[in-house]
């Protein structure tokens, strides 16, 4: 069965045709429970997110700050498994028709088996994977299987990435490039910073022949920041702010309402670029 890389590309292209950035949300699978996480992701998509990243909880999340680490710990203690991640992808996509990616570190995929993982992700309706710790020069096996199953391979670039490195990543990646707005881990910030705009410009320059979209994450938490980033990026990625809304909610119903409302606010923000 084929994955949904085409749906991902079409969604980003449609946002561009509407003269706005796409809103990409992140929530980990299994948080606060598997069923609760699925409902939260549906709410975010229904609230206005164009695309969602489903996090695969990991015991050593090197890119993630304390908010997402807390959510991952809750999910892991609840016994979340890769099968639950696939179920989350399947149900979120089936309910909304929107692109759903998995964001994961490499070790769980390596242990599970690349062919098995890509085949199951495609069967679930997934659009691809974001792989923050997979070096592009070591990604050939993954990319071979991802292409076979029509899944996107999204690599992460940082302000420290040199132009030669950016060129290598944009040549190998597909779907979009995830541009980390600053050096450090995920989390909300007072400002996103000028580094992000410079990184987007340099990344686009290396991908000029392919037109690969560049989406910015790390630090965006409100409509004003979303509007700022939407002024220079193809997509705005928000994760910790959604997770924090769920962590701060008194119960599941309140959490669902809170993330739906935040998605609506951010969706308005990306339209005010």
């Amino acid at each position: 069965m084929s994955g949904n890389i085409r749906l991902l590309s079409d969604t980003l292209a449609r946002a561009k045709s509407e003269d706005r950035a796409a809103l990409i949300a992140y929530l980990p699978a299994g948080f606060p429970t598997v069923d609760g996480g699925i409902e939260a992701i549906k709410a975010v998509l229904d609230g206005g997110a164009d695309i969602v990243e489903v996090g695969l909880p990991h015991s050593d999340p090197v890119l993630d700050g304390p908010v997402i680490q807390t959510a991952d710990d809750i999910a892991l203690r609840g016994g979340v498994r890769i099968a639950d991640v696939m179920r989350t992808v399947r149900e979120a996509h089936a309910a909304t028709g929107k692109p759903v990616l998995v964001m994961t570190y490499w070790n769980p995929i390596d242990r599970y088996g690349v062919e098995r993982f890509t085949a199951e992700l495609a069967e679930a309706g997934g659009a691809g994977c974001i792989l923050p710790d997979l070096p592009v020069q070591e990604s050939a096996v993954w990319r071979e299987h991802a292409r076979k199953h029509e899944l996107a391979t999204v690599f992460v670039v940082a302000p420290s990435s040199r132009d030669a490195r950016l060129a290598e990543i944009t040549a190998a990646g597909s779907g979009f490039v995830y541009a980390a707005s600053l050096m450090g881990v995920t989390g909300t910030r007072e400002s996103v910073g000028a580094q992000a705009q410079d990184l987007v410009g340099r990344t686009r320059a290396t991908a000029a022949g392919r037109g690969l979209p560049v989406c910015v994450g790390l630090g965006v938490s409100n409509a004003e920041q979303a509007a700022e980033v939407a002024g220079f990026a193809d997509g705005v990625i928000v994760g910790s702010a959604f997770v924090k809304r769920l962590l701060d909610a008194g119960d599941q119903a309140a959490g669902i309402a809170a993330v739906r409302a935040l998605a609506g606010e951010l969706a308005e923000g990306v339209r005010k670029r």
Side-chain angles (χ1 to χ4, degrees):
M1 187 169 180
S2 297
N4 271 315
I5 187 173
R6 177 65 63 87
L7 176 62
L8 175 65
S9 298
D10 288 349
T11 299
L12 289 162
R14 183 171 65 253
K16 185 176 182 179
S17 74
E18 296 170 358
D19 193 32
R20 66 176 180 88
L23 174 60
I24 304 173
Y26 166 94
L27 280 171
F31 168 71
T33 63
V34 175
D35 289 341
I38 291 169
E39 292 309 308
I41 288 168
K42 290 179 184 176
V44 164
L45 289 167
D46 289 340
D50 299 289
I51 300 162
V52 72
E53 304 170 8
V54 175
L56 195 162
H58 188 50
S59 57
D60 186 25
V62 294
L63 185 68
D64 297 315
V67 171
I68 292 177
Q69 285 184 24
T70 298
D72 277 4
D73 184 58
I74 291 169
L76 290 167
R77 284 191 284 111
V80 70
R81 297 290 183 266
I82 288 179
D84 299 313
V85 176
M86 297 300 177
R87 178 188 159 207
T88 300
V89 171
R90 179 180 294 105
E91 295 194 18
H93 173 64
T96 65
K98 292 185 176 182
V100 182
L101 301 117
V102 169
M103 185 165 187
T104 178
Y105 297 96
W106 179 245
N107 182 257
I109 294 178
D110 192 37
R111 293 181 63 185
Y112 196 72
V114 177
E115 171 57 23
R116 180 184 178 193
F117 190 94
T118 52
E120 290 184 5
L121 182 57
E123 189 276 330
C129 265
I130 301 167
L131 302 160
D133 66 339
L134 178 62
V136 65
Q137 64 269 24
E138 298 175 16
S139 67
V141 171
W142 164 266
R143 287 187 286 122
E144 175 189 348
H145 289 283
R147 279 194 299 270
K148 181 171 75 171
H149 292 290
E150 297 185 25
L151 298 168
T153 298
V154 179
F155 291 111
V156 178
V157 299
S160 61
S161 301
R162 297 181 180 274
D163 289 352
R165 174 76 169 168
L166 294 177
E168 189 178 11
I169 288 172
T170 55
S174 57
F176 64 91
V177 178
Y178 186 126
S181 66
L182 39 76
M183 301 302 294
V185 297
T186 59
T188 60
R189 301 291 196 281
E190 290 298 319
S191 63
V192 178
Q195 284 184 319
Q197 186 166 2
D198 175 69
L199 177 59
V200 169
R202 291 194 297 118
T203 304
R204 279 188 178 144
T206 68
R210 299 189 59 204
L212 197 62
V214 183
C215 304
V216 170
L218 273 69
V220 178
S221 61
N222 57 50
E224 291 73 23
Q225 291 173 333
E228 177 190 357
V229 174
F232 57 81
D234 298 298
V236 179
I237 303 168
V238 181
S240 294
F242 283 114
V243 174
K244 192 171 189 306
R245 291 282 178 108
L246 287 176
L247 286 170
D248 291 346
D251 55 43
Q252 180 166 320
I256 296 297
V259 295
R260 181 182 286 111
L262 178 59
E265 295 164 14
L266 294 166
E268 287 185 18
V270 299
R271 287 165 171 80
K272 295 178 181 176
R273 54 191 302 170

